[in-house]
């Protein structure tokens, strides 16, 4: 199973951009990179995913390194509601329905 | 859409008792997943179904755990007999297309 490495925690000020890094040096060519987040006392929710190109949606942007060994989730303007644990996940190319959630990055947003 | 529905939201039971957790997936989703979350082990996939058929149960901890999906709108996760180490938050998730799993609010299980 391809693994991901994320910082345990990060802190941001409200209304400032946040860059959440993820290393996945053993990624295979067909693995998609997914990001989910888990707000306090809730189930995880989908944020964004990508394969090779950078991706944008209403929640965030995903920047993927050219060698695909790392990626960065970008929240353009953090709000207090964005305080959560953010998980970087590689979708298993052998069994694409199995998501392996690591320990994630706990994001704290200060007012 | 009501999203994924789980019941009960909280369950407190005594060691040795049978526990049944319930899940109603989002209508039209043909994949259903059961996860367990603890502080020590994080979020772990226990089992998942496709079109009501169990596809991968390699994450089920032991024979005390069983899961069924009798129809497209209902699934159960049963623990018999329960033990204190089963205390965790159990999440159900459903999926239609390959990239997005929709999680329920979870059931917090405490086994005394």
């Amino acid at each position: 199973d391809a693994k991901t490495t994320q910082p345990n925690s990060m802190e941001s000020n409200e209304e400032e951009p946040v860059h959440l890094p993820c290393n996945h040096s053993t990624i295979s060519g067909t693995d998609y990179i997914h990001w989910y987040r888990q707000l306090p006392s809730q189930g995880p929710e989908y944020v964004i995913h990508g394969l090779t190109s950078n991706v944008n949606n209403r929640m965030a942007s995903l920047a993927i390194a050219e060698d695909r060994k790392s990626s960065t989730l970008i929240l353009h303007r953090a709000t207090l509601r964005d305080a959560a644990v953010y998980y970087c996940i590689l979708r298993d190319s052998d069994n694409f329905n199995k998501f392996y959630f690591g320990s994630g990055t706990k994001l704290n947003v200060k007012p | 859409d009501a999203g994924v529905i789980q019941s009960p939201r909280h369950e407190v039971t005594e060691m040795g008792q049978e526990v049944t957790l319930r899940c109603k997936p989002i209508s039209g989703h043909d994949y259903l997943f059961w996860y367990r979350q603890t502080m020590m082990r994080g979020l772990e996939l226990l089992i998942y179904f496709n079109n009501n058929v169990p596809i991968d149960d390699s994450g089920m901890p032991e024979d005390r755990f069983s899961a069924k999906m009798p129809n497209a709108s209902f699934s159960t996760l049963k623990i018999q007999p329960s033990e204190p180490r089963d205390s965790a938050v159990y999440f159900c998730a459903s999926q239609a297309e390959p990239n997005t799993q929709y999680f329920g609010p979870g059931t917090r299980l405490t086994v005394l």
Side-chain angles (χ1 to χ4, degrees), chain A residues 16-33:
Chain A
E16 289 186 357
V18 182
H19 291 231
L20 298 165
C22 181
N23 288 320
H24 28 78
S25 58
T26 59
I27 191 171
S28 71
T30 55
D31 285 345
Y32 277 78
I33 302 159

Side-chain angles (χ1 to χ4, degrees), chain A residues 15-75:
Chain A
E15 299 194 2
E16 289 186 357
V18 182
H19 291 231
L20 298 165
C22 181
N23 288 320
H24 28 78
S25 58
T26 59
I27 191 171
S28 71
T30 55
D31 285 345
Y32 277 78
I33 302 159
H34 293 253
W35 284 81
Y36 278 69
R37 72 179 185 180
Q38 187 172 18
L39 302 172
S41 301
Q42 295 189 26
E45 64 175 348
Y46 169 81
V47 177
I48 200 166
H49 77 279
L51 183 60
T52 56
S53 304
N54 295 343
V55 185
N56 300 294
N57 66 21
R58 64 175 180 81
M59 289 181 70
S61 295
L62 176 60
I64 301 173
E66 196 169 334
D67 63 4
R68 298 204 337 119
K69 293 184 184 299
S70 66
S71 61
T72 302
L73 178 70
I74 303 166
L75 307 180

Side-chain angles (χ1 to χ4, degrees), chain A residues 36 38 91 95 97-98, chain B residues 31 37 48 56 95 99 101:
Chain A
Y36 278 69
Q38 187 172 18
R91 195 178 80 192
N95 188 337
N97 288 307
K98 295 184 76 168
Chain B
Y31 286 88
Q37 187 171 37
Y48 79 90
D56 189 329
Q95 172 183 300
N99 295 310
Q101 293 186 11

